[in-house]
Amino acid sequence: MSKKEEESKRMRYLIIGIATVTIWATCYSLYKPLPDGFTVSAWDRAVMHIVEPALRVAYYYPSHMFSKASSMVQWTRGALNFLSKSLGLLVNTHGEIEIKWQKWNGTPVKVYRPINNQTSTDGAVLFIHGGGFALGNVEMYDSLVRRMAYETRTLFISIEYRLSPETVFPGGIMDCEAAIEHFVEFGPAQFGIDTSKMVIMGDSAGANLATVIAQRRAARNASPKLAGQVLIYPLLQMADLQTVSYRYFHSRLDGYALVDPESVAYYYMFYAGINMDEKAYLVPSVMSNGHVADHLKQKIDEIMVFEKTIELTRRYKNSSIPQRWAVRKNLEAQQLMEPFLTNPDFSPLMRKDLSNLPQTMVVTCEFDVLRDEGLIYAHRLETAGVPTTTINYENGFHAMLNFHSELHEASKAVYDIERWTLNAINIVS
């Protein structure tokens, strides 16, 4: 071997060595041990040890580098849209689901229909995606909706509502209701379905919109009545960001690429029409509940009363829950948020009368800041006499259904949701 070849060989080894050290150093710096009980199987934990750091690198860390909150939203949208293309690749509908875009009353919808209308029911599911009112889209949830349409042999309609901050409250509600009204009018003729067998379904902010729509229809006795509603880790209020599940996040999950208190505050305030490029300084006060005016507290406490039971019974494994911290009152935040905190169209947990609502499935996850408000709403529904199925996935986390084909826990949740939905459709006479 010539001297030149030996030098070339040494250089290759050096490059390989540097690359190996760099990769190991990067992996070591990104490693964060998952909490006790986070995911249930060895496979799921292994997957999340890869996925969670990837999410941190893709959007969590970069989003904290922007001086403008609106730029943070744009970056996160792009990152999540890109990453979502790698999810759900194992979903195979064997060419048995026809998928078409349509526009109903100005709102784009994606229709998932079994080929030749070979459905198991004559009902339909109206699906509203999540994303904090500012993120997500129909395409991001395509594999999940395709899977459910295929496995239930049921017509699914996925609604593409406009997002904040470009379109603020109540724009998303109006878009969804416009599409639903079109479906009620033309669905029977176009798809051969029975509109009394409609189930509305949504996750996170999409579950907020689904809840609001169900409440509004019930309040005006709209016909036909919904056959059911499925609320998947719903976002229902922003009057108390110091619930047990919020406080646990601060003590154990801070820094993970999971839905966090700060993001909830930002996205909810964007949705309220507040310019967060200018008002970002209000977020710390909101995270301490300093945005709640004194004269609203009694009403809020009455609605949130089941929270005291959660404080006593819903403890986290091997973890102490911090006490509530001092409220940092901010009059500006109180004035800006007062029109929204007890408005049930914005914070549907705050609606007093829940008695006329359809049967409901509420899905919550243990490792989710929104866990407690979902449990409170489920309890209030039960107390109001609404048939309610509540499942809290003790090893689950917010947005896990987006990993439905990668994680066993998420796949099980999809199965539970499908089974409940088919039952809700089929029991309608």
Side-chain angles (χ1 to χ4, degrees):
M1 183 180 296
S2 67
K3 185 176 181 180
K4 186 175 183 180
E5 289 174 330
E6 288 180 355
E7 289 179 354
S8 178
K9 186 177 180 179
R10 283 198 297 269
M11 183 59 68
R12 286 199 300 271
Y13 285 147
L14 178 61
I15 292 172
I16 292 171
I18 292 173
T20 301
V21 170
T22 301
I23 291 171
W24 276 107
T26 301
C27 291
Y28 180 80
S29 65
L30 290 174
Y31 173 76
K32 291 170 72 77
L34 297 174
D36 183 25
F38 187 93
T39 68
V40 68
S41 69
W43 170 261
D44 284 4
R45 288 184 74 83
V47 170
M48 288 310 297
H49 271 303
I50 297 171
V51 170
E52 192 278 327
L55 291 173
R56 269 186 278 139
V57 171
Y59 83 88
Y60 182 78
Y61 293 148
S63 67
H64 286 71
M65 297 168 59
F66 294 104
S67 58
K68 290 187 175 181
S70 57
S71 299
M72 173 190 70
V73 170
Q74 295 300 328
W75 175 272
T76 307
R77 281 180 185 173
L80 293 180
N81 289 344
F82 176 78
L83 290 173
S84 67
K85 298 182 187 303
S86 64
L87 300 176
L89 299 178
L90 300 179
V91 174
N92 187 353
T93 59
H94 304 282
E96 296 180 16
I97 299 295
E98 177 186 70
I99 303 174
K100 290 184 177 179
W101 279 100
Q102 297 186 13
K103 184 169 282 192
W104 295 350
N105 284 338
T107 300
V109 300
K110 200 171 186 179
V111 179
Y112 299 77
R113 185 183 191 186
I115 292 293
N116 298 322
N117 206 31
Q118 296 297 310
T119 59
S120 65
T121 75
D122 56 349
V125 178
L126 306 164
F127 184 85
I128 307 176
H129 71 79
F133 309 106
L135 311 172
N137 51 49
V138 164
E139 290 302 324
M140 188 178 295
Y141 284 76
D142 178 73
S143 70
L144 174 62
V145 179
R146 272 192 293 120
R147 171 181 174 174
M148 291 193 292
Y150 173 72
E151 292 180 349
T152 63
R153 300 290 181 183
T154 298
L155 176 70
F156 270 69
I157 310 297
S158 190
I159 303 174
E160 190 78 282
Y161 59 94
R162 292 169 296 168
L163 301 176
S164 65
E166 296 87 350
T167 300
V168 301
F169 171 82
I173 300 170
M174 300 295 102
D175 290 348
C176 293
E177 287 188 329
I180 292 169
E181 290 307 313
H182 175 99
F183 185 65
V184 168
E185 183 175 358
F186 300 105
Q190 186 175 359
F191 302 108
I193 59 100
D194 181 348
T195 53
S196 70
K197 297 183 179 182
M198 295 186 301
V199 170
I200 194 166
M201 179 186 298
D203 78 306
S204 193
N208 174 293
L209 298 174
T211 307
V212 169
I213 291 165
Q215 290 180 354
R216 285 160 62 98
R217 291 184 68 84
R220 67 175 187 270
N221 289 314
S223 181
K225 292 186 175 181
L226 293 169
Q229 57 176 342
V230 179
L231 311 178
I232 305 165
Y233 26 77
L235 174 63
L236 301 173
Q237 61 87 34
M238 71 167 300
D240 187 359
L241 274 66
Q242 289 202 49
T243 63
V244 170
S245 51
Y246 269 100
R247 281 181 277 145
Y248 174 78
F249 189 99
H250 282 288
S251 68
R252 184 65 184 84
L253 296 175
D254 193 34
Y256 287 84
L258 301 170
V259 172
D260 61 284
E262 186 178 47
S263 293
V264 173
Y266 267 105
Y267 290 133
Y268 236 145
M269 293 172 80
F270 264 133
Y271 183 50
I274 298 170
N275 185 342
M276 296 308 291
D277 287 345
E278 298 178 357
K279 304 294 184 180
Y281 59 85
L282 297 177
V283 168
S285 294
V286 172
M287 290 168 60
S288 75
N289 295 340
H291 63 304
V292 182
D294 289 342
H295 67 275
L296 297 178
K297 289 181 179 178
Q298 182 177 349
K299 179 178 181 179
I300 291 169
D301 288 344
E302 290 173 359
I303 293 292
M304 302 285 286
V305 66
F306 188 65
E307 187 175 357
K308 296 177 182 177
T309 302
I310 294 174
E311 293 260 3
L312 297 174
T313 61
R314 295 282 181 170
R315 313 300 289 183
Y316 287 85
K317 298 176 183 177
N318 302 324
S319 296
S320 59
I321 309 300
Q323 295 297 313
R324 287 174 173 262
W325 47 88
V327 174
R328 299 172 56 180
K329 288 189 177 183
N330 187 292
L331 293 179
E332 182 182 10
Q334 291 178 9
Q335 292 169 356
L336 288 171
M337 293 309 303
E338 183 172 353
F340 305 100
L341 294 184
T342 58
N343 180 348
D345 286 352
F346 185 85
S347 303
L349 182 61
M350 297 298 153
R351 188 175 292 273
K352 285 189 175 181
D353 184 8
L354 305 179
S355 60
N356 197 32
L357 288 167
Q359 60 182 315
T360 303
M361 180 183 198
V362 179
V363 171
T364 58
C365 290
E366 193 76 352
F367 299 96
D368 179 12
V369 293
L370 307 183
R371 183 198 68 174
D372 293 359
E373 57 205 71
L375 293 175
I376 292 169
Y377 192 59
H379 174 75
R380 292 192 61 231
L381 288 168
E382 292 172 356
T383 303
V386 177
T388 305
T389 298
T390 308
I391 303 180
N392 180 59
Y393 292 93
E394 294 188 353
N395 306 102
F397 58 93
H398 193 86
M400 73 175 182
L401 259 64
N402 293 88
F403 305 94
H404 63 95
S405 68
E406 289 79 23
L407 300 176
H408 297 305
E409 185 84 344
S411 186
K412 180 184 182 300
V414 172
Y415 172 76
D416 292 338
I417 291 167
E418 290 174 345
R419 185 172 54 179
W420 187 94
T421 300
L422 284 175
N423 184 65
I425 291 173
N426 289 326
I427 66 173
V428 176
S429 60

